[in-house]
């Protein structure tokens, strides 16, 4: 593990189940010493909770406010966040320089195969709905042209390698005190 003695940007990984979020969190933990948290399993999951999480240092989040909002819709459970709340939280993400990586796929059979390999057959029934919700949110969020947003289609050749490279570059920029004014990178 590399030891970097500076405040690194928090990273949020969002997307449907089985898209690779945990793999990237493990990478950040090993390479940069990030701490991690799965936000769906902790806290009140309201606006203040997610805002407070953005003030932590060097954290990689397996899901965050976007999943709280979308899964409440998908599973018809009590909504703790409105769409307006997600707009406020996205502004907070931008204000804090948090990196947001959104996963999607143009080939749902990739996710289906992962569920079958894992023996998680119940997810096969809902993954299409998850993907549709995340894709509709991605359409909205990518309009912001946020420089720390990366959207990856896991079906694209070298999609994961591109994310590894982009993430490493973004983190190294911060670690070395550099910042670029480039636009949002998207592979979708």
């Amino acid at each position: 593990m590399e030891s970097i003695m500076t405040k690194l940007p928090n990273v949020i990984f969002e997307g449907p189940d089985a898209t690779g979020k945990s793999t990237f969190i493990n990478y950040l933990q090993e390479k940069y010493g990030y701490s991690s948290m799965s936000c769906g399993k902790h806290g009140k999951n309201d606006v203040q909770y997610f805002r407070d999480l953005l003030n932590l240092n060097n954290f990689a989040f397996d899901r965050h406010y976007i999943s709280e909002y979308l899964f409440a819709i998908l599973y018809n459970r009590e909504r703790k966040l409105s769409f307006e709340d997600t707009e406020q939280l996205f502004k907070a993400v931008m204000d804090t320089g948090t990196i947001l990586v959104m996963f999607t796929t143009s080939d749902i059979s990739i996710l289906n195969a992962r569920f079958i390999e894992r023996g998680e057959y119940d997810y096969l029934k809902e993954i299409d709905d998850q993907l549709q919700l995340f894709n509709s949110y991605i359409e909205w969020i990518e309009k912001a042209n946020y420089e720390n947003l990366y959207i990856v289609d896991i079906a694209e050749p070298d999609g994961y390698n591109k994310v590894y490279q982009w993430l490493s570059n973004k983190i190294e920029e911060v670690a070395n005190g550099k910042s670029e004014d480039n636009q949002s990178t998207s592979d979708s």
Side-chain angles (χ1 to χ4, degrees), residues 4-17:
I4 299 176
M5 300 305 291
T6 187
K7 181 183 179 290
L8 299 176
N10 290 326
V11 183
I12 298 171
F13 295 98
E14 288 279 9
D17 291 330

Side-chain angles (χ1 to χ4, degrees), residues 49-65:
Y49 169 74
F50 289 113
R51 203 179 281 282
D52 290 345
L53 290 177
L54 294 174
N55 293 319
L56 297 174
N57 293 324
N58 305 359
F59 261 82
F61 298 103
D62 183 349
R63 304 194 186 278
H64 203 264
Y65 72 94

Side-chain angles (χ1 to χ4, degrees), residues 38-50 53 64-65 67-69 77 79-81 89:
S38 178
C39 292
K41 299 178 182 175
H42 303 284
K44 298 186 326 184
N45 291 7
D46 61 9
V47 173
Q48 191 58 51
Y49 169 74
F50 289 113
L53 290 177
H64 203 264
Y65 72 94
S67 289
E68 176 61 36
Y69 173 71
R77 64 183 190 213
R79 290 190 191 180
K80 298 178 182 177
L81 299 174
L89 288 164

Side-chain angles (χ1 to χ4, degrees), residues 95-111:
D95 290 346
T96 59
T98 298
I99 294 172
L100 177 57
V101 179
M102 300 282 300
F103 291 91
T104 187
T105 185
S106 56
D107 184 358
I108 199 163
S109 69
I110 294 170
L111 302 181

Side-chain angles (χ1 to χ4, degrees), residues 21-40:
K21 297 176 297 295
S22 297
T23 301
F24 282 93
I25 287 173
N26 292 337
Y27 166 75
L28 292 179
Q29 288 174 315
E30 291 173 18
K31 182 157 181 158
Y32 299 104
Y34 271 77
S35 297
S36 68
M37 175 186 277
S38 178
C39 292

